[in-house]
């Protein structure tokens, strides 16, 4: 499977401490480049996030954003130590003194240690956020894979088109060569130039060699097969595919330079169009 470098994923998490939103987006880039937009209190997560990206991705310019909204009143919540409060009340009632020893609720609450402000458990929040990040990253990679399937299908369509142009040129070349040879003989006859038949045949053989494109056609077919092999292998194959486009261009340029027929020239132009369409999309492949 191949992966696109262009993708997006978003997940929202809600918990007792509040809510958070992870967003990951990426575009094509020669190497892996990650940037983060995190709430200051979670800036310490950046090294961990960067390492998880490094283990999961090969290329792309990736932007990761975390939006955090604490729960309303979460910071002002109070924890009451019920056991300590009961012990304080019992101790007051059992004092060996005369007179009432009962305590009001307010007095009990004011006793040291009975009431404490709830402290935010940052370790728990970080654990929740990282777990949700892993799910977002999974969605993000799936998005890259889905787009990779689309890119692979598009490339396959162009490969079929290249095969069609190669078949057309292969079929037409004997006719084109025969036409060119007849044209040369006719010019000799019109100019009333008498040449040794052996010399004529030698010249025609040289002409045939000069305009022969069988090698270029064979290489184009080979490049089609190699490109399909790379696509089947999958993984981070963008650079290899980009190299194949250079090889395709080299053969199509040679084919165009050897053309002596408008039909062959048109096929060479069509090949370059198909190759350029593939090259543009391959820029997005990891």
């Amino acid at each position: 499977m191949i992966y696109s470098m262009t993708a997006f994923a978003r997940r929202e998490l809600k918990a007792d401490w509040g809510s958070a939103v992870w967003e990951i987006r990426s575009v094509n880039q020669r190497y892996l480049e990650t940037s983060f937009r995190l709430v200051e209190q979670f800036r310490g997560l950046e090294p961990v996030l960067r390492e998880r990206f490094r283990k999961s991705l090969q290329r792309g310019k990736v932007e990761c954003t975390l939006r955090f909204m604490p729960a309303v009143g979460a910071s002002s919540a109070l924890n009451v130590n019920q056991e300590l409060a009961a012990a304080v009340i019992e101790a007051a009632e059992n004092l060996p003194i005369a007179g009432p020893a009962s305590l009001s609720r307010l007095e009990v609450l004011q006793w040291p240690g009975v009431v404490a402000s709830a402290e935010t458990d940052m370790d728990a929040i970080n654990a929740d956020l990282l777990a949700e990040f892993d799910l977002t990253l999974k969605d993000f990679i799936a998005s890259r894979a889905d787009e990779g399937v689309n890119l692979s299908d598009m490339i396959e369509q162009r490969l079929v088109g290249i095969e069609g142009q190669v078949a057309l040129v292969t079929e037409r070349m004997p006719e084109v060569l025969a036409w060119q040879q007849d044209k040369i003989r006719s010019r000799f006859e019109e100019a009333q130039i008498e040449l040794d038949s052996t010399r004529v045949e030698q010249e025609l053989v040289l002409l045939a060699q000069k305009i022969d494109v069988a090698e270029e056609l064979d290489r184009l077919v080979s490049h089609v097969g190699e490109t399909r092999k790379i696509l089947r292998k999958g993984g981070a194959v963008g650079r290899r595919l980009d190299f194949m486009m250079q090889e395709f261009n080299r053969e199509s340029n040679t084919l165009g330079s050897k053309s002596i027929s408008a039909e062959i020239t048109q096929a060479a132009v069509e090949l370059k169009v198909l190759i350029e369409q593939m090259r543009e999309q391959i820029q997005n492949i990891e």
Side-chain angles (χ1 to χ4, degrees):
M1 178 178 292
I2 65 173
Y3 297 87
S4 170
M5 287 188 284
T6 302
F8 174 79
R10 181 182 187 275
R11 288 185 70 94
E12 182 175 358
L13 171 65
K14 293 185 178 181
D16 293 340
W17 42 258
S19 63
V21 176
W22 283 107
E23 288 185 358
I24 306 175
R25 66 183 75 240
S26 69
V27 294
N28 58 322
Q29 174 82 344
R30 188 174 182 183
Y31 302 105
L32 177 62
E33 177 183 335
T34 54
S35 61
F36 299 90
R37 299 174 61 186
L38 306 177
V39 180
E40 188 61 34
Q41 68 195 98
F42 300 110
R43 184 63 62 182
L45 294 177
E46 184 172 326
V48 178
L49 302 177
R50 194 181 302 277
E51 179 64 15
R52 294 188 182 186
F53 276 131
R54 189 189 67 80
K55 290 182 178 180
S56 302
L57 310 175
Q58 298 292 325
R59 299 172 67 199
K61 185 175 183 180
V62 183
E63 180 181 290
C64 177
T65 301
L66 171 63
R67 297 184 177 88
F68 178 77
M69 289 72 67
V72 177
S75 59
S76 60
L78 299 178
N79 288 329
V80 178
N81 189 330
Q82 300 287 348
E83 293 182 359
L84 179 58
V88 170
I89 295 172
E90 182 179 358
E93 292 176 347
N94 294 330
L95 285 174
I97 58 176
S102 60
L103 297 174
S104 68
R105 290 188 177 89
L106 181 59
E107 289 173 325
V108 174
L109 292 176
Q110 290 175 339
W111 190 269
V114 172
V115 176
S117 297
E119 295 183 0
T120 303
D121 188 347
M122 292 302 298
D123 289 341
I125 295 178
N126 286 342
D128 290 345
L129 291 177
L130 287 175
E132 193 68 15
F133 170 81
D134 288 339
L135 295 176
T136 310
L137 180 58
K138 183 178 179 181
D139 291 346
F140 176 71
I141 294 174
S143 176
R144 286 165 67 106
D146 290 342
E147 184 60 24
V149 171
N150 295 333
L151 291 174
S152 182
D153 290 343
M154 189 284 300
I155 294 172
E156 175 59 29
Q157 292 172 9
R158 272 57 180 183
L159 292 175
V160 171
I162 289 174
E163 288 178 322
Q165 295 302 316
V166 169
L168 185 151
V169 174
T170 301
E171 181 181 353
R172 293 284 293 136
M173 276 308 298
E175 184 179 342
V176 169
L177 181 57
W179 168 78
Q180 185 66 15
Q181 291 174 342
D182 291 341
K183 184 177 180 180
I184 291 176
R185 288 193 180 96
S186 297
R187 287 181 176 177
F188 285 155
E189 293 174 358
E190 291 174 0
Q192 297 181 346
I193 298 176
E194 293 187 8
L195 295 176
D196 180 79
S197 60
T198 302
R199 176 64 183 278
V200 172
E201 292 302 322
Q202 289 175 345
E203 293 296 328
L204 294 177
V205 169
L206 291 174
L207 172 66
Q209 292 175 344
K210 184 178 180 180
I211 66 174
D212 182 30
V213 293
E215 185 175 354
E216 286 73 20
L217 296 176
D218 288 343
R219 286 177 179 171
L220 284 169
V221 172
S222 176
H223 295 339
V224 168
E226 181 62 20
T227 301
R228 285 180 173 143
K229 181 179 178 181
I230 293 172
L231 291 174
R232 286 195 299 269
K233 181 179 179 181
V237 296
R239 291 190 180 94
R240 292 188 63 190
L241 289 173
D242 191 56
F243 172 76
M244 292 306 304
M245 296 307 103
Q246 298 177 36
E247 297 300 300
F248 272 114
N249 266 319
R250 182 178 292 110
E251 304 307 330
S252 65
N253 287 336
T254 304
L255 179 64
S257 67
K258 289 184 175 183
S259 175
I260 57 172
S261 161
E263 191 172 2
I264 304 303
T265 300
Q266 181 59 38
V269 171
E270 182 62 25
L271 281 172
K272 292 188 72 67
V273 171
L274 293 169
I275 294 166
E276 180 60 21
Q277 289 175 345
M278 285 195 295
R279 191 195 66 80
E280 289 179 356
Q281 298 303 320
I282 284 171
Q283 300 307 307
N284 294 320
I285 294 178
E286 184 179 43

